[in-house]
């Protein structure tokens, strides 16, 4: 969009405690920052892992309870020799909150 953010992917999630992942098209390019957005229900994000095409993994330390239509802080991705790497997959462990329904989790990236 006009602010420079690109939607990387989206998953509909439903479960008490579960793990899900978003596969990322290499055509989207390289990103230096990501944010998670949760829509349609409340959700607790327990952990996340970012896997790069190079095989490296980044696991930012954050745990957050999302109310419907909220997002994380901006997460800075590691760079190698001053250059961002290509993303392959983002995995996340979550749990739905009591009374919650099916949530949509979006991941947005910025170059």
């Amino acid at each position: 969009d006009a602010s420079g953010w690109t939607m990387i992917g989206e998953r509909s999630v439903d479960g008490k405690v579960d793990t899900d992942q978003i596969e990322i098209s290499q055509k989207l390019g390289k990103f230096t920052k990501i944010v998670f957005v949760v829509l349609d229900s409340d959700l607790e994000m327990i952990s996340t892992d970012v896997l790069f095409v190079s095989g490296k993994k980044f696991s930012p330390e954050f745990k957050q309870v999302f109310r419907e239509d909220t997002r994380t802080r901006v997460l800075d991705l590691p760079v190698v020799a001053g250059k961002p790497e290509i993303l392959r997959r983002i995995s996340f462990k979550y749990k739905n909150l009591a009374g919650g329904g099916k949530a949509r989790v979006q991941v947005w990236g910025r170059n």
Side-chain angles (χ1 to χ4, degrees):
D1 71 5
S3 66
W5 289 92
T6 301
M7 187 164 64
I8 296 172
E10 177 180 83
R11 297 289 287 184
S12 289
V13 299
D14 189 14
K16 290 192 177 201
V17 175
D18 204 355
T19 302
D20 216 322
Q21 62 187 17
I22 295 174
E23 297 289 332
I24 300 165
S25 169
Q26 293 179 24
K27 294 177 188 176
L28 289 175
K30 302 174 183 180
F31 297 95
T32 58
K33 301 172 185 309
I34 60 171
V35 296
F36 287 86
V37 177
V38 176
L39 305 167
D40 302 333
S41 186
D42 297 344
L43 182 86
E44 180 179 353
M45 188 73 70
I46 299 168
S47 65
T48 188
D49 292 317
V50 179
L51 182 65
F52 298 95
V53 170
S54 66
K56 294 179 184 173
K57 184 169 91 171
F58 172 62
S59 301
E61 289 190 33
F62 86 97
K63 183 176 179 178
Q64 182 173 342
V65 174
F66 290 88
R67 296 298 171 207
E68 184 176 342
D69 300 330
T70 59
R71 66 178 185 88
T72 62
R73 61 182 167 81
V74 174
L75 301 171
D76 292 318
L77 298 176
V79 294
V80 176
K83 296 183 180 182
E85 293 195 58
I86 299 172
L87 301 176
R88 172 177 281 162
R89 178 184 319 117
I90 297 176
S91 302
F92 51 95
K93 185 175 183 179
Y94 66 92
K95 71 178 178 179
N96 289 94
L97 301 179
K102 197 172 219 178
R104 284 186 300 140
V105 176
Q106 295 178 340
V107 179
W108 291 76
R110 187 170 189 170
N111 298 3

